[in-house]
């Protein structure tokens, strides 16, 4: 029973990540763009903690890894892209950047799930792309070129050291 | 080369599912609730087609399955919940329903990825929960009880025959 509860602890943090991502979207919908971007950073705190807690409690689970990807696409793929969408002046180019960001994020997450790399990441991890986008949005700044660059870095073959 | 392209075809449909889900959210943000709910149904069309095309072309891939889950959490978990959120009168109870829906959807998807069932689904599949919610939203109707029921049916042990 206790063991069952301990096993669920990291997943509760992952669900915290997802819920912060969903809240970020509703805050964006209500026009609170700064708070919306802060919630993406809160998601990142939960995201950082779930893995550490899982390792500390030695309860790494396949379910946890899956749940993590699902939370990440919402919090670091869709939510930052929606912030960009709310700030950027509408044009075909900004729409393209807006669509490319979560799409490349999903491809990045799916690739990592299928072929996990050990000790390093292949392509920019999705939080490392979503957080700069959220940070720029905090200052009401948007840049379609940077958004497209971040999107493509996620699916690029560059190696990034794991934290 | 041709083979490589053929392999990617079902994934293009899955990306279509994801993009329709993202558009549903932006349409909701702009107040076009009916069109927003129609885009969730469009996601379902792409979702139905990707699996069928993959089987027809005999290019079922692990990457495709992963990408499918990532698209589904956005299109049938977050997007319908946001429509419910836009329509329902704000209260603690409706907020609870709003949070539970994508959370249970993510748990459902993660469980299925870890332990796929053959010939039947364990728990209501996420599109079968997201579409009724989108359908109700089309008629500007929201019901927190039904939303909570759909959320829990996703993680329930009921068996649902595969289409």
């Amino acid at each position: 029973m206790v063991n069952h509860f301990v096993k669920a602890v990291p997943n509760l943090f992952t669900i915290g990540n997802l819920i912060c991502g969903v809240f970020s979207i509703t805050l964006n919908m209500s026009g609170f763009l700064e708070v919306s971007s802060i919630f993406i950073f809160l998601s990142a705190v939960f995201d950082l903690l779930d893995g550490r807690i899982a390792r500390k409690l030695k309860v790494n689970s396949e379910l946890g890894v899956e749940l993590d990807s699902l939370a990440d696409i919402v919090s670091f793929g869709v939510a930052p892209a929606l912030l960009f969408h709310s700030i950027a002046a509408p044009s075909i180019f900004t729409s393209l950047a807006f669509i490319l960001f979560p799409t490349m994020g999903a491809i990045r997450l799916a690739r990592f799930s299928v072929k996990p790399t050990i000790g390093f990441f292949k392509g920019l991890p999705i939080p490392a792309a979503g957080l700069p986008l959220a940070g720029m949005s905090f200052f009401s700044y948007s840049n379609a070129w940077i958004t497209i660059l971040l999107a493509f870095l996620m699916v690029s073959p560059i190696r990034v050291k794991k934290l």
Side-chain angles (χ1 to χ4, degrees), chain A:
Chain A
M1 181 67 197
V2 172
N3 190 28
H4 211 77
F5 178 73
V6 169
K7 260 191 172 172
V9 172
N11 294 345
L12 292 178
F13 279 79
T14 311
I15 287 169
N17 168 1
L18 173 69
I19 291 176
C20 286
V22 173
F23 277 159
S24 162
I25 299 171
T26 57
L27 287 160
N28 180 351
M29 285 168 89
S30 307
F32 303 114
L33 302 190
E34 287 92 354
V35 197
S36 167
S37 87
I38 290 171
F39 266 80
I40 295 173
F41 282 89
L42 271 179
S43 280
V45 174
F46 279 112
D47 193 40
L48 206 70
L49 289 176
D50 65 5
R52 298 210 171 176
I53 290 170
R55 279 190 293 275
K56 205 132 209 169
L57 296 174
K58 289 177 188 151
V59 287
N60 280 302
S61 73
E62 226 185 304
L63 187 93
V65 173
E66 278 295 326
L67 212 51
D68 209 45
S69 286
L70 295 166
D72 285 0
I73 187 65
V74 176
S75 303
F76 308 118
V78 176
L82 288 170
L83 269 173
F84 168 78
H85 181 261
S86 293
I87 292 165
S91 76
I92 293 179
F93 187 54
T94 54
S95 300
L96 182 75
F98 164 61
I99 290 168
L100 274 176
F101 193 82
T103 303
M104 296 302 158
I107 293 172
R108 167 71 178 76
L109 285 166
R111 275 192 187 166
F112 183 73
S113 290
V114 171
K115 231 192 217 174
T117 49
I118 296 158
F120 69 95
F121 290 116
K122 198 177 154 191
L124 197 65
I126 191 167
L131 289 179
L133 207 55
M136 293 187 333
S137 306
F138 183 81
F139 298 103
S140 300
Y141 176 71
S142 74
N143 185 314
W145 285 107
I146 297 177
T147 308
I148 291 177
L149 176 70
L150 289 168
F152 280 106
L153 280 177
M154 287 192 273
V155 293
S156 71
I158 60 154
R159 284 185 172 216
V160 181
K161 220 180 147 262
K162 276 192 187 177
L163 277 180

